[in-house]
Amino acid sequence: MTLASCWPASAVMGAEVIYVKLLVDEEERTIPQAWQARLQSRLDAASQIINEYANVHFVAECFDTWQSDNRLTDLGRTLAEFEHEVDPHPAQIAIGFSSQYRFTRGINGLGGTRGPLRRHILLRESSPNTREPERLEALVHELGHFLGAAHSGNGLSVMRPVIGDGLARRPGYHISFDPHNAKIIQWVGTEVSTLGVRRYDQLSHRTMQRMLAEYEQLDRELPKDPAAKYFIKMIRTRLQATSRK
Ligand SMILES: [Zn+2]
């Protein structure tokens, strides 16, 4: 692990800033100036899209590298390794871009995080048929999960389960959220920006209950997909635990 380079990032007027540490693994092929500029402009573009729905901005505060284990070929285990090795501090979250070639395809194949407001997000940087539009969409998708979004059956939503399907490159395509996930990320974004919420279990009961109703609808749209089910279980457990107190 090298020493991260960080600097005081500027505030963004009128929106809560979530500071981000951007990392690449040792398989990255370009020099630091090149990958840092590439990832920073991608994060800026993703942040602008998210900001159309939620009152938060994602701002790059640090750049760093990490060593990913060449023997790991699935995204789940690579995410576990990334969580273990990388401390997001002083930023709030760490987003890693791995160029390991041998990943097998996971549920959406391009990225992963464990759920709302978790501090690590991992994305595949090199994949045979992905280019910048797909990579931007994958980043928006994962930032959507960070703000509580689950998978949607709406084929035009950035939260459809399989992205990297060529849609991102179609002329006139604009990355957008379906109405259920748009509400969820707006509510979570509001709690982050107005109440200073930093962890999922700090969300208010009212917001969790409203999210639950949206997840139940998303689950009906995509009964075979695990994402909404996972969030429903998490929220029910949380609501039960706090109502017993
Ligand atoms: Zn997903």
Side-chain angles (χ1 to χ4, degrees):
M1 178 65 73
T2 53
L3 204 62
S5 55
C6 300
W7 58 91
S10 54
V12 178
M13 290 294 284
E16 182 69 17
V17 173
I18 295 168
Y19 293 104
V20 179
K21 184 183 279 189
L22 294 170
L23 303 100
V24 292
D25 64 8
E26 79 286 4
E27 311 283 336
E28 169 62 40
R29 292 174 174 194
T30 64
I31 57 171
Q33 292 92 316
W35 69 255
Q36 291 176 4
R38 181 179 84 232
L39 296 183
Q40 173 142 33
S41 73
R42 191 182 307 159
L43 183 68
D44 288 345
S47 180
Q48 264 182 36
I49 294 164
I50 296 278
N51 194 247
E52 292 168 26
Y53 300 87
N55 192 29
V56 291
H57 270 291
F58 294 89
V59 173
E61 185 185 21
C62 305
F63 293 107
D64 205 351
T65 57
W66 92 103
Q67 194 80 24
S68 63
D69 187 339
N70 290 345
R71 290 165 304 178
L72 297 181
T73 54
D74 74 276
L75 204 64
R77 286 169 69 196
T78 311
L79 174 61
E81 182 205 41
F82 180 66
E83 290 170 323
H84 183 254
E85 282 196 19
V86 171
D87 179 4
H89 181 82
Q92 188 188 339
I93 61 173
I95 308 180
F97 297 84
S98 173
S99 297
Q100 290 280 5
Y101 266 101
R102 287 173 295 172
F103 280 152
T104 50
R105 258 185 153 359
I107 289 169
N108 68 41
L110 289 171
T113 181
R114 293 204 196 275
L117 305 180
R118 292 294 292 259
R119 299 184 71 200
H120 294 81
I121 295 173
L122 185 67
L123 287 138
R124 265 174 81 143
E125 185 65 358
S126 31
S127 183
N129 292 312
T130 51
R131 288 187 221 150
E132 193 54 32
E134 279 91 2
R135 291 186 187 123
L136 172 60
E137 197 174 33
L139 179 57
V140 176
H141 180 103
E142 294 307 324
L143 292 175
H145 281 317
F146 174 78
L147 292 171
H151 290 153
S152 164
N154 179 334
L156 291 175
S157 172
V158 66
M159 297 315 296
R160 64 195 186 281
V162 179
I163 50 172
D165 53 4
L167 186 60
R169 266 184 261 170
R170 281 201 206 148
Y173 176 69
H174 178 71
I175 296 175
S176 65
F177 286 84
D178 55 280
H180 300 300
N181 282 312
K183 285 187 230 170
I184 292 169
I185 67 171
Q186 189 207 332
W187 295 329
V188 174
T190 299
E191 298 228 353
V192 166
S193 62
T194 60
L195 304 178
V197 164
R198 286 293 176 271
R199 289 196 326 264
Y200 165 76
D201 60 5
Q202 295 171 327
L203 289 169
S204 68
H205 268 216
R206 183 175 146 73
T207 292
M208 283 204 201
Q209 266 152 353
R210 292 158 95 192
M211 287 165 82
L212 188 59
E214 300 302 324
Y215 289 141
E216 282 165 348
Q217 298 203 43
L218 288 165
D219 186 41
R220 276 195 284 277
E221 283 180 10
L222 280 179
K224 289 189 181 139
D225 186 272
K229 283 184 177 49
Y230 175 74
F231 291 151
I232 288 169
K233 199 173 157 207
M234 237 165 101
I235 289 197
R236 288 208 178 121
T237 308
R238 180 73 199 148
L239 289 173
Q240 276 164 10
T242 47
S243 67
R244 275 200 299 269
K245 273 180 193 164

